[in-house]
């Protein structure tokens, strides 16, 4: 019966998704509209861990530092408390299948263009211009294959986010003490397994293309430097538009552009680059990306403040919270420390395994999927810490404190859609299953 219910739920989500997306075509990440928010907006990467700018010495240790984590989590708490379900569903596509070094390549870019709209277009155009028709066709087929999987991951987040808002608002089922950590971890583990399977398939196709490069193609790529925008030739972006224009499947174009850009970041990068993550990578269910990126949507030359996450998060904790509320927030880095350290280990193991494809080998798929599931469990565990902390703080906020948080949100005049599939708004609210299961221990 449970299996049948799950199948019916997936089918219902699929029908709702197709109907919702049919109302407006998804944005094309090719210069006609703003590239995926949160991934390509800023001229320079966001400051992290109290930095004042200057050299971009981003490391995994820095991303995992208490200060970087606290301020990022607090920023999400601000977004969550002042936002709504729709805003919380908003997430950049680049936060899926991110084992290919692209995030690190952006953050260390010597030309300081890593978060400029031109960055992804430039590298995608350069790669597209070097690959031959047969190689491009392999990525085109992969994009058609994986576009529905992108959507599935996005919609699987919805019930979880609904449950998080129930915890925030005190809408807890009778007989429950609140969100069950194990139930949350298991659910996130399931759709992170899909992420791992997609990553495995992407690595397989990317390596196949890489191993088919001609001597001339290898020479062309050798002239391009990892993490140096200025060393990349200006590709023909119009050619990519023409190549993908007849494919109107939702997220086909985003997938294809992603493969082009990450072909270079992965093959020219390293295990360290693949393992790296920014502080915003985890706990993406609270609307932080919406709060940060929405003012930039549709504005080609708009640059988000490089310090908005750190400054707003710090203001929430240090200026709005009272002593008791601040204590709750300050406890989060310690609560998640073991899980975050294991995340780094799991990411490295996945990255090492996937890179076997580049050497002509075959990674252990079962191992990759198991690691992907564990990754999701850890993300779910950390998100449980965040949600329960946010709910405790929210319960004790005064009217004056809440007003201060709304002012800090700084989104007057913006109204979120009922839901988003990544950054694409949909007009019809999804019909969600009963989320009571998140409040009881899994059997």
């Amino acid at each position: 019966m449970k299996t049948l219910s799950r199948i019916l739920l997936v089918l219902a989500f699929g029908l709702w998704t197709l109907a919702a997306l049919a109302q407006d075509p998804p944005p094309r990440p090719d210069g006609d509209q703003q590239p995926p928010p949160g991934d390509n907006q800023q001229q320079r990467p966001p400051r992290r861990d109290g930095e004042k700018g200057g050299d971009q010495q981003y490391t995994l240790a820095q991303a995992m530092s208490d200060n970087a984590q606290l301020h990022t989590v607090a920023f999400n708490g601000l977004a969550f408390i002042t936002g709504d379900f729709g805003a919380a569903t908003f997430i950049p596509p680049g936060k899926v299948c991110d084992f290919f070094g692209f995030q690190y390549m952006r953050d260390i870019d010597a030309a300081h263009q890593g978060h400029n709209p031109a960055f992804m277009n430039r590298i995608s155009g350069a790669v597209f211009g070097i690959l031959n028709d047969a190689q491009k066709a392999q990525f085109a087929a992969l994009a058609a294959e994986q576009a529905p999987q992108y959507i599935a991951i996005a919609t699987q987040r919805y019930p979880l986010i609904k449950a998080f808002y129930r915890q925030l608002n005190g809408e807890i089922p009778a007989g429950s003490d609140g969100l069950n950590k194990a139930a949350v971890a298991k659910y996130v583990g399931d759709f992170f397994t899909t992420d791992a399977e997609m990553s495995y398939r992407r690595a397989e196709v990317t390596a196949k293309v890489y191993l088919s490069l001609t001597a001339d193609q290898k020479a062309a790529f050798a002239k391009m430097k990892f993490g140096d925008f200025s060393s990349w030739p200006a590709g023909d972006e119009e050619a990519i538009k023409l190549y993908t224009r007849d494919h109107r499947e939702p997220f086909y174009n985003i997938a294809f552009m992603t493969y082009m850009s990450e072909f270079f970041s992965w093959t020219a990068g390293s295990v360290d680059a693949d393992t790296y993550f920014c502080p915003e990578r985890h706990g993406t269910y609270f609307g932080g990306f919406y709060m940060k990126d929405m003012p930039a949507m549709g504005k080609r030359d708009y640059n988000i403040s490089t310090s908005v996450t750190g400054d707003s998060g710090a203001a929430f904790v240090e200026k709005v919270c009272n002593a008791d509320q601040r204590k709750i927030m300050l406890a989060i880095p310690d609560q998640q420390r073991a899980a975050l350290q294991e995340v780094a280990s799991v990411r490295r193991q996945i990255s090492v395994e996937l890179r076997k494809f580049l050497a002509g080998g075959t990674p252990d798929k079962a191992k990759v999927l198991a690691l992907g599931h564990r990754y999701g469990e850890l993300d779910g565990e950390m998100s449980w810490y965040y949600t329960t902390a946010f709910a405790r703080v929210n319960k004790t906020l005064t009217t004056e404190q809440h007003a201060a948080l709304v002012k800090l949100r700084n989104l007057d005049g913006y109204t979120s859609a009922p839901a988003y599939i990544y950054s694409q708004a949909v007009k019809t609210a999804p019909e969600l299953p009963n989320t009571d299961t998140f409040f009881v221990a899994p059997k």
Side-chain angles (χ1 to χ4, degrees):
M1 180 64 72
K2 289 184 178 179
T3 301
L4 177 59
S5 297
R6 189 180 184 89
I7 292 172
L8 291 174
L9 174 61
V10 171
L11 289 173
F13 262 129
L15 292 173
W16 170 83
T17 298
L18 291 175
L21 285 174
Q23 298 175 62
D24 292 295
R28 295 168 59 91
D30 55 16
D32 288 341
Q33 298 187 41
Q34 187 72 10
D39 282 2
N40 298 299
Q41 305 288 357
Q42 306 170 16
Q43 283 189 327
R44 300 179 73 166
R47 293 184 318 190
R48 295 181 188 149
D49 199 17
E51 287 190 353
K52 301 301 182 183
D55 293 338
Q56 302 175 80
Q57 301 298 322
Y58 294 139
T59 65
L60 187 57
Q62 182 186 66
M64 295 172 64
S65 69
D66 286 355
N67 214 26
Q69 288 292 316
L70 173 63
H71 290 167
T72 300
V73 171
F75 182 79
N76 279 322
L78 166 64
F80 191 51
I81 290 170
T82 61
D84 56 25
F85 171 84
T89 64
F90 186 107
I91 182 177
K95 300 308 174 192
V96 175
C97 304
D98 66 332
F99 302 104
F100 299 90
F102 189 74
Q103 178 74 50
Y104 186 67
M105 186 172 73
R106 291 188 324 169
D107 282 359
I108 66 162
D109 180 51
H112 294 264
Q113 296 296 311
H115 292 255
N116 185 286
F119 189 81
M120 183 174 182
N121 288 346
R122 177 88 165 235
I123 188 59
S124 297
V127 171
F128 186 85
I130 295 173
L131 298 183
N132 61 38
D133 289 344
Q135 293 162 341
K136 294 170 188 173
Q138 294 183 64
F139 284 123
L142 182 64
E145 172 188 325
Q146 292 199 328
Q149 295 172 313
Y150 271 101
I151 296 173
I153 288 179
T155 56
Q156 281 179 300
R157 294 158 44 87
Y158 293 169
L160 179 70
I161 293 170
K162 175 64 176 179
F164 284 176
Y165 264 104
R166 289 183 65 181
Q167 179 74 21
L168 182 75
N169 297 325
E171 300 168 358
I172 296 171
S176 171
D177 295 328
L179 274 176
N180 182 273
K181 182 166 63 173
V184 170
K186 182 180 183 302
Y187 187 84
V188 181
D190 288 346
F191 66 78
F192 264 58
T193 304
T194 301
D195 182 298
E197 188 164 20
M198 290 176 65
S199 298
Y200 185 95
R201 180 72 174 123
R202 183 189 299 182
E204 181 180 26
V205 173
T206 301
K208 184 176 180 180
V209 171
Y210 173 73
L211 294 173
S212 73
L213 294 177
T214 66
D216 288 343
Q217 288 175 319
K218 292 177 182 178
F221 280 120
K223 295 177 181 178
M224 299 164 57
K225 297 179 181 179
F226 181 94
D228 188 356
F229 175 95
S230 62
S231 72
W232 306 338
D236 187 355
E237 296 174 18
E238 292 298 319
I240 298 183
K241 294 181 187 180
L242 291 173
Y243 188 84
T244 61
R245 67 179 179 181
D246 294 330
H247 297 273
R248 301 307 302 165
E249 300 96 329
F251 294 93
Y252 171 91
N253 298 308
I254 288 176
F256 187 82
M257 286 282 284
T258 299
Y259 303 150
M260 291 294 99
S261 62
E262 294 190 358
F263 176 87
F264 180 73
S265 65
W266 194 46
T267 59
S270 64
V271 169
D272 287 342
D274 300 344
T275 304
Y276 172 86
F277 57 81
C278 63
E280 297 91 345
R281 172 60 182 93
H282 307 106
T284 60
Y285 317 102
F286 304 103
F289 287 111
Y290 177 93
M291 190 168 71
K292 182 173 67 172
D293 297 335
M294 188 50 61
M297 290 295 291
K299 301 173 184 176
R300 186 173 177 81
D301 296 321
Y302 187 98
N303 291 306
I304 297 172
S305 168
T306 58
S307 60
V308 63
T309 299
D311 288 354
S312 298
F316 175 26
V317 174
E318 298 165 12
K319 297 181 180 180
V320 178
C321 287
N322 62 33
D324 290 338
Q325 295 161 346
R326 190 176 303 117
K327 185 177 180 180
I328 294 171
M329 297 300 296
L330 292 175
I332 291 174
D334 278 337
Q335 292 171 340
Q336 71 164 13
R337 194 178 310 281
L340 190 63
Q341 290 173 347
E342 188 177 349
V343 158
S345 173
V346 167
R347 285 184 60 89
R348 189 171 191 87
Q349 292 178 70
I350 292 174
S351 300
V352 168
E353 200 67 28
L354 293 181
R355 279 188 166 271
K356 291 179 181 179
F357 274 130
L358 290 175
T362 302
D364 185 336
K365 186 175 182 179
K367 180 179 180 179
V368 170
L369 297 187
L371 286 167
H373 192 274
R374 181 55 183 159
Y375 190 6
E377 290 178 329
L378 294 166
D379 182 75
E381 177 185 339
M382 293 188 293
S383 298
W384 182 88
Y385 292 130
Y386 306 159
T387 307
T388 52
F390 299 157
R392 289 174 63 195
V393 170
N394 183 60
K395 189 176 181 179
T396 61
L397 288 174
T398 66
T399 301
E400 291 76 15
Q401 284 179 308
H402 195 274
L405 292 181
V406 171
K407 183 176 181 181
L408 193 57
R409 181 179 179 83
N410 194 30
L411 279 183
D412 288 346
Y414 289 91
T415 301
S416 68
Y420 292 85
I421 297 180
Y422 299 104
S423 59
Q424 174 65 26
V426 294
K427 299 177 181 178
T428 305
E431 293 186 11
L432 301 178
N434 189 319
T435 55
D436 285 358
T437 54
F438 290 100
F439 295 87
V440 296
K443 296 179 181 180

